[in-house]
Amino acid sequence: MSTATSTQWHLVRRPVGEPTPDDVARVEATLDELGPDEVRVANAFLSVDPYMRGRMDDKPSYVPPFRLDEAMTGAAVGHVVESTSDALPVGTMVTHQYGWRDVAQGPAARFTAVEELDGVSLSAYLGVLGLTGLTAYTGLVRIAEMKEGDAVFVSGAAGAVGSMVGQIARLRGASRVIGSAGSAEKIALLTDRYGFDAAFDYHDGDIRGQLKAAAPDGIDVYFDNVGGEHLSAALHRLKRFGRIAVCGAISAYNSTGEPEGITGMTNVVRNSLRIEGFTMGDHWDLGADFQAEMRPWLENGDVVFDETILDGVDNAFDAFTRMMRGENVGKMVVRVTEPS
Amino acid sequence: MSTATSTQWHLVRRPVGEPTPDDVARVEATLDELGPDEVRVANAFLSVDPYMRGRMDDKPSYVPPFRLDEAMTGAAVGHVVESTSDALPVGTMVTHQYGWRDVAQGPAARFTAVEELDGVSLSAYLGVLGLTGLTAYTGLVRIAEMKEGDAVFVSGAAGAVGSMVGQIARLRGASRVIGSAGSAEKIALLTDRYGFDAAFDYHDGDIRGQLKAAAPDGIDVYFDNVGGEHLSAALHRLKRFGRIAVCGAISAYNSTGEPEGITGMTNVVRNSLRIEGFTMGDHWDLGADFQAEMRPWLENGDVVFDETILDGVDNAFDAFTRMMRGENVGKMVVRVTEPS
């Protein structure tokens, strides 16, 4: 492995609007020999997530921008193939942030050993047991302070985070769980597989009217993955003391102009509503509580999860853009072909 | 006093847009003789407040709508002129909610005895020591959780609540206090009399640009009395973990159509912002803390307050509409001519 290489994705230009293949480059990098207390990891799965779009812009945000002409980063899981670390010997399964590449390398302290669970794909660590699941849990439990008996609405409900929000809400005693998604197939998935009580297709338009029909008695909590018209609709539907956890605004991420204005904000006073944005960097402390609650649900089959898997590190950028267009069901991951 | 009368304002029609004199009627009512444990009060001052506009509409809100063809209600202060209550003998100063009339009458339990403070007008109980001051305190301290060193922006800053917000923020150690108001005179008042560090006139337009110039390093707290363009501007100017206490949306109260959309909502995620609406009905428990902090400030002259006083119960509706148009400086009150 002394002349090992890594196929990596670099950002070469700041995207304007939707990222295009010209904004990135696939680069073959030669890896240095390991220094002391380092590991080399053959990635099994790479994560692509909406927040990465923000990192492609050169503006202040909750995570620093990607630098141009360097490998992009993100969550990944794999096994150690070479090691100078006693803590992480060859063969250890690890999660880490050196994604967007097939082979990762760095200080052992940057990698976290994980257990492989029986019958659960390693990719779960990028989703239901990773950032995705913890994001759903944080927004619902800490930010929106969901209580038993609450009616909960989540947008982008067939997505990785959304499908977890709906299931956690149900398992924590929601009186009604309502989801929106972007196709008839996804809508069916919400009610048939994830246990939502009601679901609607936002491509059918009149989001406000559809939400009213799905939640005739109003909602207590809105988990917002989308922003825009969904947020306006929720503001009109929230009951007194309703809470909105704002996790994302995917409708605006690729927007080049000023996003459409939000209506219904006068309800914030009228109904004593709370709207709160959050990003996971401030909530890692919830991880232990989350794992303690989520593992039994997974073991008991109370929580199901889906993945859309694209094969090959060469398809990582394609996976990202497809995820941004909403073509995934559940967590979008890239399965890395075993390096030769 | 057995054939006592009361001049009262009734709502006779639900206003569409800005209330007009045709929506109300001044009625001479004959008062019944007092029953057991009742008082009759000669009101000295009546309060007119923005929330009353909401009560004129027949739609669900945090306070029930005014009923048609009945006397409207609101805060008032006066002295007992007839009494069958041992607790409230003739001459007692009381605050109560039987406003919009010169003579009030009802169960003693609905009236609260207050002390007359040396050199402070009784009308202070409708303002700085009443709902107005407590509203400012609640929004700033409990909802926005203002901390020492925060930069604080308040809209409608020359109004009754706004001028208190700015002064409480200063006295609680704000690093910078910025206010907006609707005339050059009011702007001068903010910096010269109320101790704001910077102020701008929203009638000059470009609220976002003016706020940026006034708060070049950003803001931590926004106390929103106005909504609309002010709210959008604040969303663009808030620093990470910034908080907005939404107290009012006076820009939308008289609107008959859908209010203008709010821009900048994508900053809620980007900067982990919190927006929270509140109404005083849920926060009376803060009253004791508030009084304990405000009385010394008043006694020491650390807090100043202004009133716009209109004389005569006959002018109560005029006072209300002038207040809604922003023609008042400080708290708008009606001074009732002593009944004969």
PDB file of all heavy atoms in Angstrom, chain B residues 185-202:
ATOM      1  N   GLU B 185     -38.609  63.770  14.655  1.00  0.00           N
ATOM      2  CA  GLU B 185     -38.785  64.148  16.057  1.00  0.00           C
ATOM      3  C   GLU B 185     -38.638  62.926  16.959  1.00  0.00           C
ATOM      4  O   GLU B 185     -38.002  62.975  18.012  1.00  0.00           O
ATOM      5  CB  GLU B 185     -40.169  64.773  16.280  1.00  0.00           C
ATOM      6  CG  GLU B 185     -40.387  66.134  15.625  1.00  0.00           C
ATOM      7  CD  GLU B 185     -40.501  66.041  14.106  1.00  0.00           C
ATOM      8  OE1 GLU B 185     -40.895  64.969  13.579  1.00  0.00           O
ATOM      9  OE2 GLU B 185     -40.162  67.044  13.422  1.00  0.00           O
ATOM     10  N   LYS B 186     -39.246  61.833  16.546  1.00  0.00           N
ATOM     11  CA  LYS B 186     -39.180  60.625  17.368  1.00  0.00           C
ATOM     12  C   LYS B 186     -37.750  60.084  17.430  1.00  0.00           C
ATOM     13  O   LYS B 186     -37.301  59.604  18.475  1.00  0.00           O
ATOM     14  CB  LYS B 186     -40.123  59.556  16.806  1.00  0.00           C
ATOM     15  CG  LYS B 186     -41.592  59.881  17.025  1.00  0.00           C
ATOM     16  CD  LYS B 186     -42.476  58.758  16.495  1.00  0.00           C
ATOM     17  CE  LYS B 186     -43.952  59.086  16.715  1.00  0.00           C
ATOM     18  NZ  LYS B 186     -44.824  58.007  16.199  1.00  0.00           N
ATOM     19  N   ILE B 187     -37.049  60.153  16.307  1.00  0.00           N
ATOM     20  CA  ILE B 187     -35.667  59.677  16.264  1.00  0.00           C
ATOM     21  C   ILE B 187     -34.813  60.468  17.262  1.00  0.00           C
ATOM     22  O   ILE B 187     -34.004  59.894  18.001  1.00  0.00           O
ATOM     23  CB  ILE B 187     -35.104  59.847  14.831  1.00  0.00           C
ATOM     24  CG1 ILE B 187     -35.839  58.929  13.864  1.00  0.00           C
ATOM     25  CG2 ILE B 187     -33.612  59.591  14.790  1.00  0.00           C
ATOM     26  CD1 ILE B 187     -35.979  57.534  14.347  1.00  0.00           C
ATOM     27  N   ALA B 188     -35.033  61.796  17.269  1.00  0.00           N
ATOM     28  CA  ALA B 188     -34.283  62.644  18.198  1.00  0.00           C
ATOM     29  C   ALA B 188     -34.591  62.253  19.643  1.00  0.00           C
ATOM     30  O   ALA B 188     -33.708  62.184  20.501  1.00  0.00           O
ATOM     31  CB  ALA B 188     -34.623  64.111  17.951  1.00  0.00           C
ATOM     32  N   LEU B 189     -35.868  61.970  19.898  1.00  0.00           N
ATOM     33  CA  LEU B 189     -36.299  61.551  21.226  1.00  0.00           C
ATOM     34  C   LEU B 189     -35.569  60.274  21.662  1.00  0.00           C
ATOM     35  O   LEU B 189     -35.138  60.142  22.821  1.00  0.00           O
ATOM     36  CB  LEU B 189     -37.802  61.296  21.161  1.00  0.00           C
ATOM     37  CG  LEU B 189     -38.648  61.369  22.406  1.00  0.00           C
ATOM     38  CD1 LEU B 189     -38.584  62.744  23.034  1.00  0.00           C
ATOM     39  CD2 LEU B 189     -40.108  61.015  22.057  1.00  0.00           C
ATOM     40  N   LEU B 190     -35.439  59.334  20.739  1.00  0.00           N
ATOM     41  CA  LEU B 190     -34.808  58.055  21.074  1.00  0.00           C
ATOM     42  C   LEU B 190     -33.382  58.250  21.569  1.00  0.00           C
ATOM     43  O   LEU B 190     -32.997  57.716  22.609  1.00  0.00           O
ATOM     44  CB  LEU B 190     -34.797  57.121  19.855  1.00  0.00           C
ATOM     45  CG  LEU B 190     -36.151  56.606  19.373  1.00  0.00           C
ATOM     46  CD1 LEU B 190     -35.964  55.604  18.230  1.00  0.00           C
ATOM     47  CD2 LEU B 190     -36.928  55.965  20.504  1.00  0.00           C
ATOM     48  N   THR B 191     -32.604  59.025  20.835  1.00  0.00           N
ATOM     49  CA  THR B 191     -31.201  59.168  21.221  1.00  0.00           C
ATOM     50  C   THR B 191     -31.020  60.203  22.329  1.00  0.00           C
ATOM     51  O   THR B 191     -30.198  60.018  23.221  1.00  0.00           O
ATOM     52  CB  THR B 191     -30.335  59.556  19.998  1.00  0.00           C
ATOM     53  OG1 THR B 191     -30.933  60.686  19.350  1.00  0.00           O
ATOM     54  CG2 THR B 191     -30.257  58.412  18.996  1.00  0.00           C
ATOM     55  N   ASP B 192     -31.824  61.286  22.315  1.00  0.00           N
ATOM     56  CA  ASP B 192     -31.592  62.364  23.277  1.00  0.00           C
ATOM     57  C   ASP B 192     -32.247  62.103  24.630  1.00  0.00           C
ATOM     58  O   ASP B 192     -31.725  62.503  25.663  1.00  0.00           O
ATOM     59  CB  ASP B 192     -32.127  63.694  22.726  1.00  0.00           C
ATOM     60  CG  ASP B 192     -31.438  64.075  21.427  1.00  0.00           C
ATOM     61  OD1 ASP B 192     -30.427  63.413  21.082  1.00  0.00           O
ATOM     62  OD2 ASP B 192     -31.924  64.988  20.736  1.00  0.00           O
ATOM     63  N   ARG B 193     -33.386  61.460  24.611  1.00  0.00           N
ATOM     64  CA  ARG B 193     -34.134  61.319  25.860  1.00  0.00           C
ATOM     65  C   ARG B 193     -34.103  59.891  26.410  1.00  0.00           C
ATOM     66  O   ARG B 193     -33.964  59.691  27.614  1.00  0.00           O
ATOM     67  CB  ARG B 193     -35.579  61.769  25.616  1.00  0.00           C
ATOM     68  CG  ARG B 193     -36.479  61.688  26.840  1.00  0.00           C
ATOM     69  CD  ARG B 193     -37.713  62.575  26.661  1.00  0.00           C
ATOM     70  NE  ARG B 193     -38.804  62.192  27.555  1.00  0.00           N
ATOM     71  CZ  ARG B 193     -38.862  62.488  28.850  1.00  0.00           C
ATOM     72  NH1 ARG B 193     -37.889  63.167  29.402  1.00  0.00           N
ATOM     73  NH2 ARG B 193     -39.881  62.084  29.589  1.00  0.00           N
ATOM     74  N   TYR B 194     -34.241  58.900  25.519  1.00  0.00           N
ATOM     75  CA  TYR B 194     -34.342  57.521  25.995  1.00  0.00           C
ATOM     76  C   TYR B 194     -32.998  56.787  26.017  1.00  0.00           C
ATOM     77  O   TYR B 194     -32.931  55.631  26.432  1.00  0.00           O
ATOM     78  CB  TYR B 194     -35.338  56.727  25.147  1.00  0.00           C
ATOM     79  CG  TYR B 194     -36.757  57.262  25.167  1.00  0.00           C
ATOM     80  CD1 TYR B 194     -37.508  57.334  23.995  1.00  0.00           C
ATOM     81  CD2 TYR B 194     -37.349  57.683  26.361  1.00  0.00           C
ATOM     82  CE1 TYR B 194     -38.812  57.817  24.001  1.00  0.00           C
ATOM     83  CE2 TYR B 194     -38.652  58.172  26.376  1.00  0.00           C
ATOM     84  CZ  TYR B 194     -39.377  58.239  25.191  1.00  0.00           C
ATOM     85  OH  TYR B 194     -40.662  58.708  25.204  1.00  0.00           O
ATOM     86  N   GLY B 195     -31.951  57.448  25.551  1.00  0.00           N
ATOM     87  CA  GLY B 195     -30.625  56.854  25.668  1.00  0.00           C
ATOM     88  C   GLY B 195     -30.283  55.767  24.659  1.00  0.00           C
ATOM     89  O   GLY B 195     -29.387  54.949  24.892  1.00  0.00           O
ATOM     90  N   PHE B 196     -30.994  55.738  23.514  1.00  0.00           N
ATOM     91  CA  PHE B 196     -30.617  54.792  22.460  1.00  0.00           C
ATOM     92  C   PHE B 196     -29.266  55.209  21.877  1.00  0.00           C
ATOM     93  O   PHE B 196     -28.934  56.391  21.810  1.00  0.00           O
ATOM     94  CB  PHE B 196     -31.662  54.794  21.327  1.00  0.00           C
ATOM     95  CG  PHE B 196     -32.918  54.014  21.644  1.00  0.00           C
ATOM     96  CD1 PHE B 196     -33.786  54.423  22.646  1.00  0.00           C
ATOM     97  CD2 PHE B 196     -33.242  52.871  20.923  1.00  0.00           C
ATOM     98  CE1 PHE B 196     -34.950  53.715  22.933  1.00  0.00           C
ATOM     99  CE2 PHE B 196     -34.400  52.155  21.198  1.00  0.00           C
ATOM    100  CZ  PHE B 196     -35.255  52.575  22.204  1.00  0.00           C
ATOM    101  N   ASP B 197     -28.489  54.216  21.437  1.00  0.00           N
ATOM    102  CA  ASP B 197     -27.194  54.504  20.809  1.00  0.00           C
ATOM    103  C   ASP B 197     -27.341  54.913  19.357  1.00  0.00           C
ATOM    104  O   ASP B 197     -26.509  55.647  18.826  1.00  0.00           O
ATOM    105  CB  ASP B 197     -26.292  53.272  20.902  1.00  0.00           C
ATOM    106  CG  ASP B 197     -26.019  52.886  22.339  1.00  0.00           C
ATOM    107  OD1 ASP B 197     -25.325  53.658  23.013  1.00  0.00           O
ATOM    108  OD2 ASP B 197     -26.514  51.833  22.791  1.00  0.00           O
ATOM    109  N   ALA B 198     -28.367  54.414  18.702  1.00  0.00           N
ATOM    110  CA  ALA B 198     -28.588  54.754  17.297  1.00  0.00           C
ATOM    111  C   ALA B 198     -30.068  54.618  16.995  1.00  0.00           C
ATOM    112  O   ALA B 198     -30.780  53.837  17.634  1.00  0.00           O
ATOM    113  CB  ALA B 198     -27.781  53.827  16.385  1.00  0.00           C
ATOM    114  N   ALA B 199     -30.522  55.407  16.030  1.00  0.00           N
ATOM    115  CA  ALA B 199     -31.939  55.365  15.674  1.00  0.00           C
ATOM    116  C   ALA B 199     -32.089  55.765  14.217  1.00  0.00           C
ATOM    117  O   ALA B 199     -31.268  56.509  13.688  1.00  0.00           O
ATOM    118  CB  ALA B 199     -32.743  56.310  16.572  1.00  0.00           C
ATOM    119  N   PHE B 200     -33.115  55.249  13.563  1.00  0.00           N
ATOM    120  CA  PHE B 200     -33.372  55.674  12.178  1.00  0.00           C
ATOM    121  C   PHE B 200     -34.871  55.785  11.927  1.00  0.00           C
ATOM    122  O   PHE B 200     -35.687  55.207  12.657  1.00  0.00           O
ATOM    123  CB  PHE B 200     -32.696  54.745  11.167  1.00  0.00           C
ATOM    124  CG  PHE B 200     -33.183  53.318  11.188  1.00  0.00           C
ATOM    125  CD1 PHE B 200     -34.291  52.936  10.434  1.00  0.00           C
ATOM    126  CD2 PHE B 200     -32.515  52.333  11.934  1.00  0.00           C
ATOM    127  CE1 PHE B 200     -34.737  51.616  10.438  1.00  0.00           C
ATOM    128  CE2 PHE B 200     -32.964  51.016  11.939  1.00  0.00           C
ATOM    129  CZ  PHE B 200     -34.074  50.660  11.186  1.00  0.00           C
ATOM    130  N   ASP B 201     -35.185  56.537  10.882  1.00  0.00           N
ATOM    131  CA  ASP B 201     -36.572  56.811  10.516  1.00  0.00           C
ATOM    132  C   ASP B 201     -36.978  55.854   9.399  1.00  0.00           C
ATOM    133  O   ASP B 201     -36.438  55.927   8.295  1.00  0.00           O
ATOM    134  CB  ASP B 201     -36.674  58.271  10.041  1.00  0.00           C
ATOM    135  CG  ASP B 201     -38.109  58.686   9.712  1.00  0.00           C
ATOM    136  OD1 ASP B 201     -38.982  57.793   9.585  1.00  0.00           O
ATOM    137  OD2 ASP B 201     -38.341  59.907   9.572  1.00  0.00           O
ATOM    138  N   TYR B 202     -37.917  54.972   9.684  1.00  0.00           N
ATOM    139  CA  TYR B 202     -38.276  53.974   8.665  1.00  0.00           C
ATOM    140  C   TYR B 202     -38.994  54.593   7.475  1.00  0.00           C
ATOM    141  O   TYR B 202     -39.051  53.987   6.414  1.00  0.00           O
ATOM    142  CB  TYR B 202     -39.063  52.807   9.269  1.00  0.00           C
ATOM    143  CG  TYR B 202     -40.394  53.151   9.889  1.00  0.00           C
ATOM    144  CD1 TYR B 202     -41.540  53.292   9.099  1.00  0.00           C
ATOM    145  CD2 TYR B 202     -40.518  53.313  11.262  1.00  0.00           C
ATOM    146  CE1 TYR B 202     -42.767  53.587   9.669  1.00  0.00           C
ATOM    147  CE2 TYR B 202     -41.745  53.616  11.841  1.00  0.00           C
ATOM    148  CZ  TYR B 202     -42.854  53.760  11.042  1.00  0.00           C
ATOM    149  OH  TYR B 202     -44.061  54.054  11.612  1.00  0.00           O
TER     150      TYR B 202
END
